[in-house]
Each structure stands twice: as structure tokens, then as C-alpha cells.
Amino acid sequence: MEYIDTVCTYCGVGCDIVGHVEDNKIQKITAAKDGYVSQGKLCIKGKLGFDFVESPNRVRAPRIRKSFVEKNRHIVSAYESRFTDLDETWFETDLETATSISAAKMSEIKEKYGRHSLCSIGGARTSCESAFLFQKYTRHTLNSPHVDNCARVCHSPSLKGMRTTMGEGAATNPYDDIYQTEFMIVMGSNTTEAHPIVANRIVEAAQQHDNLAVIDVRQIKLGKFAKYQAIIPHEANLLVLNMMAYVILTEELYNEAFVASRTKFFEEYREKILNDPYANPKFFESVPGYEDLVKLIPKIAREYALKKSMIFWGLGITEHIDGSKAVMAITHLAFLTGNVGKTGAGLMPLRGQNNVQGACDMGMLPYYDPDYQTPKEVGLMTPELIDEMIAGRVKSLHNMGEDITHIHPNLNKVNKGIENLEFILVQEVMMNDIASKADIVIGVRSAYEKTGVYINAMRRLHLSQPLVTSDLPDDWEVIQMINNKLGGNYEYKDSSDVWNEVRETAHRRFSGASYQRLERHRKRGLQWPVYIEDTPVLHLLDFRTDDGLGHFHYHQYVERGQIEQLKNAVSTKGFHLTTGRALPHYNNAAQTKESPKLLKKHEEDILLVSIEDEADFPKGRVILKTEHGQTASLKVKFTDTVKPGTLFTTFHHNNSQINYIFGDRRDDLILTAAFKSIEVEVVSA
């Protein structure tokens, strides 16, 4: 038996794992006993979710759609001798052929429709090396500015909100600062389900010090360990955060020295908030069912202000129309109290996927080059690209590791755009939904079969190494082949060559992070920026704005949705739905559902309904409807963890069609979809 250290392929926590490997097969995965992140513990995904590596659903050989062959004889005729029948839909072929045909088709589209007709959308599950090369090839060889990644679905508002106010859009502290803090707020994050190994630290600290506040639209497991558990109405994040700031200001609990020396625009901010009728917690006296927040919000605000504190948040903050503004409100709280720039005090956005941080650092966004520099041309974000597909102006999609027809909102619209394309190339581990709609699918190595850098939610670089060998290509190798057939001249021999270019291009963060150092610090990792030393805590002396100061940018809450209905006693037949994850699965479950032990624990998405609504709720299975579409039939479970009028479900299983009911409501600054609240009609299935 061989024991190999690497990093978990699932969430943004980035746990250190050990693969137990025999005869080139993973027999077992355990936590590294001395792992800096995992602390010798793993969630069930980390332990059991490796069966996908040998799944029959893996794409082992490139596939080309038969209907694409019929329509493109002028391109494929020279290669047809290399095709073999797979089934009614697909031929199989070799990598050389698949990349040659892909390059020829993209070249044809570019010549016919122009460079803006091509776009590249990538996931945050592949390595930094592949993410870097993907955006480079798109911008330089395709000469298209249209490159994006799945941070659009999750944490783009964290990046936008933090960069606007602090100049840097990343977590300020390491996870272990949880043991150094005096007070914690977890808001919009079901941490025990989505980031269990971080939750372990939070629970341990809360049990010892009774120093946790949980703010959410429903009761979550973490709330059992909290000193304060605030259940708030849907879409009330910005409202509540501004109320906390109002309390800190009116009771003069703010850190005058920090505000004076390290921030600007404070007086303007203070004047706006003190004159904002929505900022006073007494507003909740007029919201039936939530009157307890009038006293609870000030209690949380006081404790946060008077102690060394940290705030953690997830998609329950960012996936709203005011997600970016709510993140700004979070940074305002840190500015007011001086709870940033020191050990045990800071801001922690809990990233969703294993390399969301890294993909953005690599410039796989239409408005950032690597290292968050300004590109020569800003491209379109994914929702805008869908509109362009429908309009017929975007004709080609190169998709790498993002199941765009499962995880995005308004899927009837997304599918309409996808159907309008002339060419779809997908690089994937599995035959997921977007792969099933592609013209060419190229199977690539999974995280457990390759070497590469991944960056977790606390800016920690971890150099992975393969647990098993594979004859499949890495993502960056496929990109290099296509690039060179389009006239490029990439000559990378291995992933270290790509990474060395990253260190030069994104030198502000990675210049000192050589493979050699990352290998030497494989267990601890290195937190960027990495020069001579790495940087566990950001903003010690100044912020990363041009003037080094934190900038206040006040945004007033806009009354809407559930609060507006409750306040004005508006009767409605609808329910307000929110969505989230379940511990056994990850995102679209493309990998976790291939593990029978995980699939058995969560075989379908289940709708949670308040016990108080049971008498008037349809019996049996139900369908949720909106103007945008409807779900499939859903199983119902009644519970006391959600308030009357509120529903919750997961979105892991594609056949549930949860994302068909969400429309184009989105963050108005950065276009992240409002997945966390929508009013739905419930009908019997």
C-alpha cells in the first residue's frame, strides 16, 4: 500500500488528505493526521467521495456528436476514418482528432462572425495552471475578452464588495484564528453542511467560550451551539447589517482611533446611516413574526463591537440582488470596530469550490487579468453571454469544468441560448448535463490524477500530487493543443512550466511560491501574497486600496419581498423558497453521486416545509412554479427549522430542475443570481 499526500477535491476549505493506493487504485482516503487545514478530520465527502475516479460515467475517450459530423462534413471528412461508434448520439475518437476539429470549427466561427462570437466559461474545480492558461488562450489566441468562471454563481459579490471597500477580495485570516477570536458571527452560511472542517473549529470555540452568533433565514445545526441565533426574513441581510452599524454608532461603540487613522468617508457614512429610517432596529416592530430582532440585533452588535471579532459568510449573503452591498456592509462593521488587520479579528468569505479563489486569482473573469489587473478589454459576464447567445452574436462556447445547464439560474433561458450556438466544446471529468449537449466532449484528468496548485478560502496554496496515474490529458494540455492549432506557440512541458509563468505574471501574489517551496510546505501550505515569506493575516498596516485606507460606501436597504408583504399585511398564496447544500453532496453532484455510499445518504432533493403550514399544504409530492418555469416532483418533509411561509431545498440533483424556477433577478453590481429567495407557487404533483 502506498500513502500519498494531496488536497481534497471538494469545497473551498482545502483539506489535507492521504490517499491509500494499491495497484493504481484508491482504496481509501483519510485525513492527514498532521494536516494544517483538516486537523486529522474529514467530512464524508472527503472520506468517501473518491469512487468517481473509476466511474463508468467518466469520459475516457473524446466524443464527437454524430449530428455535428453531418453538419460539418467540410471540416470532419478528413478525420472520419478515426471515428468509432459509441451509441446513437456519439462517435469516439482520439485527442489529436478532437482538438484539430475543435480548432478548425472555432477558427471558422471567428472568421465568419468575428472574435467576439467566441466565449470561454470555466469552472473553479480545475487547477490554477489550467485556469491561467484558459484565460490566456481566450484573450490572446482567440482574441476574445469573454472569459468567465463559476464564481459568477457564488462569491463574485464578495470580491466586488471587499475590493471596493478594502482593495482586496479575499479572506483576511487563517482558519485557526477562530481559536484566537473572542466573538464570531456566522451569517448566510450553513457551515456544518457546506464547510464542515471550518465548522468543527467554530463549534469547538463556541462550546468553550459561548461566543457565537448565527444569523440566517432558518434554523441550522450551527445554531445549537450559538449564544445568539437570529432568524431573519428573506432578503434582509443588508437591512440587518446596517442596523448593527447603527447600534454601534448611536451607542458610540466604534473604534475612533482606527476609523480616524485607517478609513475615509466616515462622516458621510455616519450621516447617511443615522438618517436612514431602515437602519434603526425598531423597524422590526412593524414586521410580524420578527419582533424579537428589535432587541437581538443590538445585543449581537454590542458584543461584536466590544470584542476581538470575526465574521464568516457564505452564499446566503452573496446570492441576492444586494449581495455586493451586503458584503460592503460587513466590511463597514470591521472598519467601525477595528476588527480587521490582526490575529483573531477579520473577515472570512467561505468559498464554495476547491479553487474558486484560485480561478479568480488567475484572471478567469471578464473584468480582471491575472493578479486582479485591468485587462486591455473587458468582456461580458456569463448572464450577458447567455443574452448574446440568444441574440445570435455569440456562436461558440468552450466550457471547462462548469455545468452551466445545471448550476445557473433561469435554465429555460440558458438552454435556449445553448441551443442557439454553432459549436460547444466541453472539457469534463463526467458526462454531466452540459456535456450531454456538447458537440465535442474531451475527457480530462480529475484532481486525484494530476499535479497542480489549488487555493482555498483562506488564500492557502496547496500543491496537489496525483494519487493514481491516468492516460487522460490535463485541462491545460488540451488547451495547449487547441491553442497551437489556432496559431499559438505554447511549449509547456509540464504543469510547473505553466506555474512559473503564473509566478511572473501574477508576481504580486505568487512570486515566491515555487513548486519547490510548495512541496516543502505541502502540509501547511503558503498563504498569498508569497514573497520571501507568506502572509497569514492581511491588512496589518494598511488596506490594498490606492491610498491604503478603508473606504466607506453606504447603501440603503430597499424594502421588498417577504418584509414588504409582512409589514403591509399583504396576503399571498405563495411561499418564499431558499436553497442550499446537503453534507453528502457537492454542487451538481457530478462526482458525489458516483459514490454509492454518498448517493444513498441523499438520493433526491427534498423540500422542507414548516410544521405550522402542514394543514394547508398540498398532500404528497409537490411541484414549485414561477413565471420562469417549474421544478420536477419533490418529496416534502415537515420541520420546525423553517418559519411559516418559508421553504428550503437542495439543488444537487439535475432531475429535480430546481434552477428552472429562478429568473434573472441578480446582484445589480456583479450579476450573481438571486438564488437565496424567490416566491413560488406550490401545486400537487
Side-chain angles (χ1 to χ4, degrees):
M1 188 78 70
E2 190 176 3
Y3 304 95
I4 304 171
D5 294 314
T6 192
V7 63
C8 181
T9 185
Y10 290 107
C11 78
V13 175
C15 287
D16 318 89
I17 63 174
V18 178
H20 301 233
V21 179
E22 190 171 33
D23 297 329
N24 203 40
K25 182 177 180 180
I26 303 171
Q27 305 293 330
K28 183 180 179 182
I29 283 181
T30 58
K33 291 181 180 179
D34 55 349
Y36 180 74
V37 172
S38 59
Q39 298 182 314
K41 301 174 184 177
L42 289 179
C43 78
I44 57 173
K45 289 190 292 291
K47 290 178 183 176
L48 305 178
F50 58 85
D51 293 353
F52 71 88
V53 174
E54 295 195 335
S55 168
N57 198 31
R58 287 291 300 270
V59 185
R60 299 290 177 185
R63 301 179 183 187
I64 182 167
R65 186 177 295 275
K66 291 181 176 179
S67 60
F68 174 83
V69 172
E70 289 297 320
K71 293 176 185 177
N72 292 274
R73 292 283 179 189
H74 61 292
I75 291 176
V76 305
S77 59
Y79 303 98
E80 288 191 71
S81 62
R82 304 179 191 176
F83 298 166
T84 58
D85 264 323
L86 179 63
D87 55 30
E88 293 181 354
T89 304
W90 302 100
F91 291 118
E92 282 191 339
T93 189
D94 56 79
L95 182 61
E96 180 67 30
T97 300
T99 52
S100 295
I101 294 173
S102 297
K105 185 61 180 177
M106 284 191 279
S107 180
E108 179 185 77
I109 289 172
K110 183 179 177 181
E111 184 175 347
K112 185 175 180 181
Y113 301 106
R115 61 190 179 90
H116 288 98
S117 66
L118 300 109
C119 71
S120 299
I121 298 176
R125 302 295 302 283
T126 191
S127 65
C128 286
E129 293 86 343
S130 294
F132 172 81
L133 209 60
F134 195 54
Q135 63 80 32
K136 180 184 176 183
Y137 132 88
T138 303
R139 287 186 162 110
H140 298 170
T141 302
L142 295 182
N143 198 20
S144 170
H146 302 325
V147 60
D148 207 353
N149 82 86
C150 62
R152 176 74 43 241
V153 186
C154 54
H155 266 287
S156 287
S158 293
L159 176 59
K160 177 65 174 179
M162 294 179 81
R163 279 188 68 87
T164 299
T165 53
M166 309 172 73
E168 186 68 272
T172 60
N173 299 62
Y175 302 142
D176 281 357
D177 273 25
I178 290 168
Y179 300 125
Q180 307 296 321
T181 195
E182 295 171 345
F183 189 66
M184 299 174 287
I185 296 175
V186 176
M187 189 170 184
S189 167
N190 189 7
T191 322
T192 56
E193 300 284 318
H195 304 93
I197 304 304
V198 171
N200 286 347
R201 290 170 167 83
I202 294 173
V203 169
E204 185 180 342
Q207 288 177 320
Q208 290 180 4
H209 305 293
D210 194 23
N211 63 348
L212 172 64
V214 172
I215 304 173
D216 211 299
V217 297
R218 64 187 181 108
Q219 291 182 30
I220 58 174
K221 185 177 179 180
L222 198 61
K224 297 177 181 178
F225 307 96
K227 182 176 183 178
Y228 307 110
Q229 183 172 208
I231 309 300
I232 66 174
H234 280 235
E235 300 189 69
N237 293 325
L238 180 59
L239 175 67
V240 169
L241 290 162
N242 284 345
M243 286 177 177
M244 290 175 62
Y246 178 93
V247 171
I248 292 168
L249 287 167
T250 56
E251 297 185 9
E252 297 186 350
L253 304 176
Y254 60 97
N255 186 326
E256 292 186 47
F258 189 93
V259 169
S261 64
R262 296 201 55 184
T263 71
K264 65 189 299 186
F265 307 131
F266 169 69
E267 293 299 334
E268 181 182 349
Y269 166 81
R270 179 168 62 178
E271 182 180 353
K272 286 183 177 180
I273 196 168
L274 293 180
N275 289 287
D276 181 353
Y278 290 107
N280 191 325
K282 289 184 178 180
F283 171 81
F284 275 112
E285 290 175 350
S286 64
V287 184
Y290 295 91
E291 295 89 348
D292 64 313
L293 296 175
V294 175
K295 293 183 178 179
L296 190 53
I297 290 170
K299 288 180 181 179
I300 297 171
R302 292 176 192 125
E303 203 147 349
Y304 173 81
L306 295 172
K307 293 182 176 180
K308 186 168 64 172
S309 303
M310 299 179 74
I311 302 181
F312 301 80
W313 72 92
L315 307 190
I317 289 285
T318 59
E319 290 183 338
H320 287 287
I321 64 171
D322 54 8
S324 297
K325 296 170 183 176
V327 173
M328 292 181 206
I330 289 172
T331 64
H332 294 156
L333 292 175
F335 292 164
L336 286 174
T337 59
N339 273 313
V340 65
K342 55 189 176 185
T343 299
L347 303 171
M348 299 291 292
L350 295 171
R351 305 294 191 186
Q353 302 198 58
N354 63 334
N355 205 31
V356 163
Q357 184 67 59
C360 296
D361 296 342
M362 295 302 109
M364 208 157 71
L365 290 165
Y367 39 81
Y368 286 127
D369 266 350
D371 231 1
Y372 300 98
Q373 300 303 295
T374 303
K376 67 176 183 180
E377 182 179 8
V378 174
L380 297 178
M381 294 178 263
T382 300
E384 297 169 321
L385 290 172
I386 298 298
D387 291 336
E388 290 295 287
M389 292 175 193
I390 292 172
R393 290 186 285 268
V394 167
K395 295 291 188 178
S396 170
L397 167 64
H398 188 166
N399 186 279
M400 180 180 74
E402 178 175 343
D403 196 354
I404 188 172
T405 54
H406 179 172
I407 65 168
H408 280 260
N410 206 353
L411 288 182
N412 281 316
K413 179 180 178 180
V414 170
N415 283 324
K416 184 179 178 182
I418 293 296
E419 289 164 5
N420 217 25
L421 293 171
E422 287 193 14
F423 182 60
I424 304 172
L425 167 64
V426 169
Q427 294 177 210
E428 255 303 345
V429 174
M430 297 288 175
M431 280 301 292
N432 57 14
D433 195 72
I434 184 61
S436 72
K437 295 175 168 63
D439 295 300
I440 293 178
V441 183
I442 298 177
V444 293
R445 293 179 191 172
S446 72
Y448 293 156
E449 297 163 316
K450 64 186 181 184
T451 299
V453 175
Y454 296 86
I455 305 176
N456 74 352
M458 65 177 194
R459 296 175 285 110
R460 173 186 183 259
L461 283 72
H462 190 131
L463 180 60
S464 74
Q465 58 183 332
L467 300 181
V468 293
T469 59
S470 170
D471 58 2
L472 291 170
D474 200 342
D475 279 308
W476 70 263
E477 292 177 299
V478 176
I479 296 164
Q480 175 164 274
M481 291 179 73
I482 294 172
N483 177 84
N484 291 352
K485 291 172 181 179
L486 285 165
N489 59 349
Y490 294 167
E491 296 180 348
Y492 307 103
K493 295 179 176 61
D494 56 36
S495 61
S496 67
D497 287 347
V498 184
W499 181 250
N500 284 333
E501 185 173 331
V502 170
R503 291 171 58 208
E504 293 178 7
T505 305
H507 58 86
R508 297 164 188 83
R509 286 167 177 77
F510 306 115
S511 61
S514 67
Y515 263 28
Q516 290 75 19
R517 288 187 71 187
L518 291 171
E519 286 169 354
R520 193 163 67 247
H521 298 289
R522 193 183 297 279
K523 292 290 178 65
R524 177 185 169 271
L526 297 170
Q527 285 180 266
W528 67 247
V530 185
Y531 306 117
I532 307 287
E533 301 291 337
D534 67 339
T535 314
V537 180
L538 292 179
H539 314 302
L540 293 171
L541 300 175
D542 55 13
F543 294 104
R544 295 190 159 216
T545 52
D546 290 342
D547 56 15
L549 299 174
H551 296 184
F552 285 97
H553 290 272
Y554 188 66
H555 294 281
Q556 186 180 57
Y557 163 77
V558 177
E559 191 173 311
R560 61 190 185 276
Q562 189 177 45
I563 288 181
E564 189 173 42
Q565 292 173 3
L566 290 168
K567 183 183 172 188
N568 299 314
V570 175
S571 60
T572 172
K573 295 181 181 179
F575 288 80
H576 289 269
L577 173 74
T578 190
T579 63
R581 293 183 180 136
L583 181 59
H585 281 306
Y586 196 75
N587 260 31
N588 65 345
Q591 294 179 176
T592 49
K593 70 184 179 184
E594 301 299 330
S595 173
K597 292 178 181 177
L598 293 178
L599 182 59
K600 187 176 180 180
K601 292 179 181 294
H602 190 279
E603 294 180 320
E604 63 177 320
D605 295 311
I606 297 172
L607 186 70
L608 300 187
V609 183
S610 172
I611 288 175
E612 296 180 49
D613 288 324
E614 185 172 5
D616 300 321
F617 207 79
K619 308 305 178 189
R621 299 176 72 93
V622 300
I623 291 170
L624 307 182
K625 289 185 174 183
T626 69
E627 62 182 300
H628 310 289
Q630 66 181 49
T631 68
S633 167
L634 299 173
K635 182 179 178 180
V636 173
K637 180 181 178 181
F638 294 98
T639 175
D640 60 1
T641 62
V642 295
K643 284 210 169 195
T646 296
L647 308 174
F648 170 84
T649 188
T650 51
F651 54 87
H652 297 303
H653 298 280
N654 188 51
N655 57 9
S656 299
Q657 299 186 336
I658 303 299
N659 288 353
Y660 280 82
I661 63 176
F662 292 94
D664 285 342
R665 288 184 76 239
R666 57 204 187 193
D667 180 281
D668 55 6
L669 299 180
I670 211 69
L671 307 192
T672 293
F675 274 122
K676 294 306 176 185
S677 182
I678 188 168
E679 192 169 355
V680 298
E681 178 188 358
V682 182
V683 299
S684 296

